[in-house]
Amino acid sequence: MTGKDEAELSGLFRAAIAGNERAYADFLHRIAALVRGFVRRKIVQGGVDPEDVVQETLLAIHVKRHTWREDAPVLPWVYAIARFKLIDAFRRRGRRIEVEIDEIAETFAEPEAETVSERDINRALDGLPPTQRSVVSSISVDGHSIGETAAKLGVSETAVRVSLHRGLAAIAKRFGRR
């Protein structure tokens, strides 16, 4: 930017404050390009969208246009607003770095299929009283409902629920889980 550009922009902004809409549109158009370049140079990593900062800066210029002193250059005032809006954007982003998942997908281990053998199931059911073993096996292994299990064993559904709860609690305790 040269001194001539500064003088033109200051003149446009003075005219805009005086009510010249055409001068204001021209001023905002030229300032947006300058701020866009400024912001893009300052953002080296992702996470902050330069266009968002440009728009917030233009909005702040509009809202705070009455604070500009007409005898002062306009560009330092504009760049100060842009700098503060950029700082606000970085603060909102926080200290996290955003990485596209596709860029690091090959570093993830493939999930292993969880398999339970017949031996593991029998080991878990060992040590349960016969009624609890039958209930847990019927519901958890065979997939029967509480009502089906109650009918099959000839007991009430409440008794099945109690046996299931106690059996699962005993298995969890046996394997170190609460």
Side-chain angles (χ1 to χ4, degrees):
M1 275 272 108
T2 64
K4 181 183 175 207
D5 294 327
E6 170 65 43
E8 285 179 17
L9 289 171
S10 294
L12 285 172
F13 201 43
R14 274 188 212 93
I17 290 174
N20 185 335
E21 291 179 23
R22 181 89 173 130
Y24 195 40
D26 191 26
F27 172 79
L28 289 177
H29 180 73
R30 290 177 64 183
I31 287 297
L34 293 173
V35 170
R36 190 171 290 113
F38 170 78
V39 170
R40 286 184 178 159
R41 284 189 304 275
K42 298 293 182 186
I43 298 174
V44 292
Q45 289 184 349
V48 174
D49 185 6
E51 262 326 290
D52 288 345
V53 177
V54 171
Q55 293 304 314
E56 287 181 28
T57 301
L58 293 177
L59 182 61
I61 288 170
H62 176 73
V63 171
K64 297 295 183 180
R65 66 188 180 276
H66 66 279
T67 65
W68 176 64
R69 289 188 356 232
E70 291 192 27
D71 60 330
V74 74
L75 284 177
W77 180 76
V78 167
Y79 283 128
I81 292 171
R83 186 172 46 256
F84 289 125
K85 292 301 174 185
L86 186 60
I87 290 168
D88 290 345
F90 281 125
R91 283 183 181 147
R92 275 193 305 275
R93 183 194 75 185
R95 292 193 176 261
R96 67 181 189 273
I97 296 174
E98 295 178 7
V99 177
E100 289 293 325
I101 193 77
D102 295 336
E103 293 177 18
I104 60 169
E106 67 276 356
T107 63
F108 296 134
E110 290 293 322
E112 294 181 19
E114 199 172 308
T115 58
V116 178
S117 68
E118 189 75 31
R119 194 181 100 210
D120 293 334
I121 293 172
N122 288 334
R123 199 175 105 214
L125 294 174
D126 282 349
L128 292 180
T131 305
Q132 287 179 2
R133 184 180 313 128
S134 298
V135 168
V136 170
S137 177
S138 175
I139 293 172
S140 298
V141 177
D142 300 334
H144 295 125
S145 70
I146 289 178
E148 292 169 339
T149 303
K152 182 173 90 174
L153 298 176
V155 295
S156 70
E157 288 185 15
T158 303
V160 169
R161 284 188 181 91
V162 169
S163 291
L164 177 64
H165 174 73
R166 288 179 180 167
L168 292 176
I171 291 171
K173 183 177 178 183
R174 183 170 174 213
F175 288 99
R177 295 191 176 133
R178 292 180 176 221

